Amino acid sequence: MSDLQPTFILVRPQMGENIGAAARAMLNFSLTQMRLVDPRDGWPNPRAVAMASGAAGRVLDHAGVFPTLPEAIADCAYVFATTARGRELTKPVMTPERAMEHARALTASGQKVAVLFGPERAGLENEDVARANAIISVPVNPDFASLNLGQAVLLCAYEWMRQTGERPPEVVGMARTEFASLLEVEKLGDHYEERLSEAGFFFPPTKAEGMKLNLRNLWSRMPFTRADVQTLHGMLRQIVRHRDKG
Amino acid sequence: MSDLQPTFILVRPQMGENIGAAARAMLNFSLTQMRLVDPRDGWPNPRAVAMASGAAGRVLDHAGVFPTLPEAIADCAYVFATTARGRELTKPVMTPERAMEHARALTASGQKVAVLFGPERAGLENEDVARANAIISVPVNPDFASLNLGQAVLLCAYEWMRQTGERPPEVVGMARTEFASLLEVEKLGDHYEERLSEAGFFFPPTKAEGMKLNLRNLWSRMPFTRADVQTLHGMLRQIVRHRDKG
């Protein structure tokens, strides 16, 4: 994996709280490169630090602050602009997924990539978007598009994580589980079949074979762990023991 | 494309504002089915409505409110639980991507799917997670995991949108099978718990609660069909009947 990661640039952000929330959203997905263009309330901003909590030291403290957008992107090879609404500007429009896939390829070849996020109220100006190479537009419900700054940052950071090589396996958690062997499931089936036969479960006799087959099939279809099999043996033993005492 | 979409269930949510924010996050990706389990400040909640703004009428106004989780999931065929930290419970853990892909396949075959989100401060209890079929865990930075309720809802809703785009649904095995509803599995669990209690299975008393939780977790982890559940009821009834005669 390349050490390079995209720089998220907040353009003329208004509320300190939102800068802090953006820093947290980034760090959730291991992004630490933030820049600010002309933050309304100056810099540093104690409200941003308070909201960022643990992300203050790792993101905000070394965020670059620039008076204008051209200065903030001067060293970048490729810039994405996030926008909510359509623009008249002729420019590629990508989903976050496609954009971060592209960003991944660019950074892997050593190029510096930036993603621009506009001010809370109005978003990026056309003039800002004009400086970008491509637009990122999140495909939201056209009848209800209300993503805020922190949410836009979160979704882009999430997509960056998805596109990087270090994706976790799709299904984890059961990986270290010891699943029951086929022999263990077979013996479980034997145990139940035996006790159920004694109890007259397989009735009428003409249907007994089909019922037994269905039951074998049920057991073998289940993703039992070894512990599950022990539990199921124990349950049956206890009920039978109780019966025989009773 | 199926009209069915997953139901997002907020379990014991605390702040009205967060309920409203969750409704907005959902509606951004066209999700409108919300349920609430025992909201701390009662229902309806004016703070939730204020925060939801345009999503109030389309999500909150017809949100179902339930006193307990089992009631809220009674008609669902498959339930995901979102959790931040690892659990001792043996249960499949999926990324939001994999989970919503699976949800897509399930809803496409007409099955009702729910996603559980825990209270803001502590998240879901083990007892809640035990009732789910699988866990959704967002692969965040292990050194900084600070996703809040609204962000977890947003990422799951976003993934749902991604999975319902142009791509055809993945066909999973047994997609046309009638799986048991959660209510049916809950009742199956009740039946076994009752008979096993009578038989003295949950022993010693200090371990009884843990044993019951494990057993609930075992049942909910299994991909039972309705027919399987009937079979398992029938087995237990027959063994007990034999006991009472014997």
Side-chain angles (χ1 to χ4, degrees), chain A residues 28 97 141 158-159 199 238, chain B residues 28 141 158-159 162 199 238:
Chain A
N28 267 299
E97 177 178 16
N141 178 356
Y158 169 80
E159 277 294 353
Q238 186 61 29
Chain B
N28 267 300
N141 179 356
Y158 169 79
E159 277 293 352
R162 281 212 325 114
Q238 187 60 32

Side-chain angles (χ1 to χ4, degrees), chain A residues 56-75:
Chain A
R58 277 177 285 176
V59 180
L60 291 189
D61 286 358
H62 57 90
V65 184
F66 299 81
T68 68
L69 178 58
E71 290 165 280
I73 58 176
D75 61 345

